[in-house]
Amino acid sequence: QVQLVESGGGLVEPGGSLKLSCAASGFRFSNYPMSWIRQAPGKGLEWVSGITNGGGNEGYADSVKGRFTISRDNAKNMLFLRMNSLKPEDSAVYYCAKPDSTTAALTGKTPSGRTPVYEYQGQGTQVTVSS
């Protein structure tokens, strides 16, 4: 069955860095775009970033643009999120997710402008940014 297993979260001071990893299995990873989404306490799911199946195109939420970098290793079925210059407002549970379209992966919206359906997502990894 499909499994997405995130790792790499933790407690970091403001301005610090973390690299999240997601190990994918149970589907042909290289065929599909992927996303990182997050959920802060008391808030809904927020799209953070996405990448096309071949890794040639990336998309970022305005709140993380210039600070976060998404990447993937299709040979190892791995998805990554490098997070620099972390802020307290980045604190959330971060999920690796398989969106239902490339548009959703790159923009966080469906072609019609709606919130996308994520066919699969992992259990999440907690990121806490605090001094």
Side-chain angles (χ1 to χ4, degrees), residues 6-112:
E6 303 92 341
S7 61
L11 173 64
V12 62
E13 292 187 347
S17 298
L18 283 174
K19 185 175 183 179
L20 306 184
S21 299
C22 171
S25 61
F27 65 107
R28 195 175 293 272
F29 179 74
S30 60
N31 280 6
Y32 295 97
M34 294 293 295
S35 296
W36 286 99
I37 57 178
R38 67 187 180 186
Q39 187 165 26
K43 296 188 176 181
L45 284 172
E46 177 190 16
W47 171 75
V48 175
S49 181
I51 189 168
T52 51
N53 63 309
N57 285 293
E58 305 158 18
Y60 299 93
D62 288 343
S63 58
V64 308
K65 201 171 293 183
R67 300 187 297 121
F68 290 12
T69 303
I70 191 171
S71 61
R72 65 191 296 163
D73 184 339
N74 284 344
K76 297 182 178 179
N77 290 351
M78 295 290 296
L79 180 72
F80 305 101
L81 186 68
R82 177 68 179 179
M83 306 186 296
N84 295 329
S85 303
L86 282 161
K87 305 175 181 179
E89 52 264 43
D90 294 319
S91 297
V93 178
Y94 283 71
Y95 300 93
C96 166
K98 181 179 175 293
D100 59 2
S101 71
T102 297
T103 299
L106 296 182
T107 68
K109 295 290 184 183
T110 66
S112 61

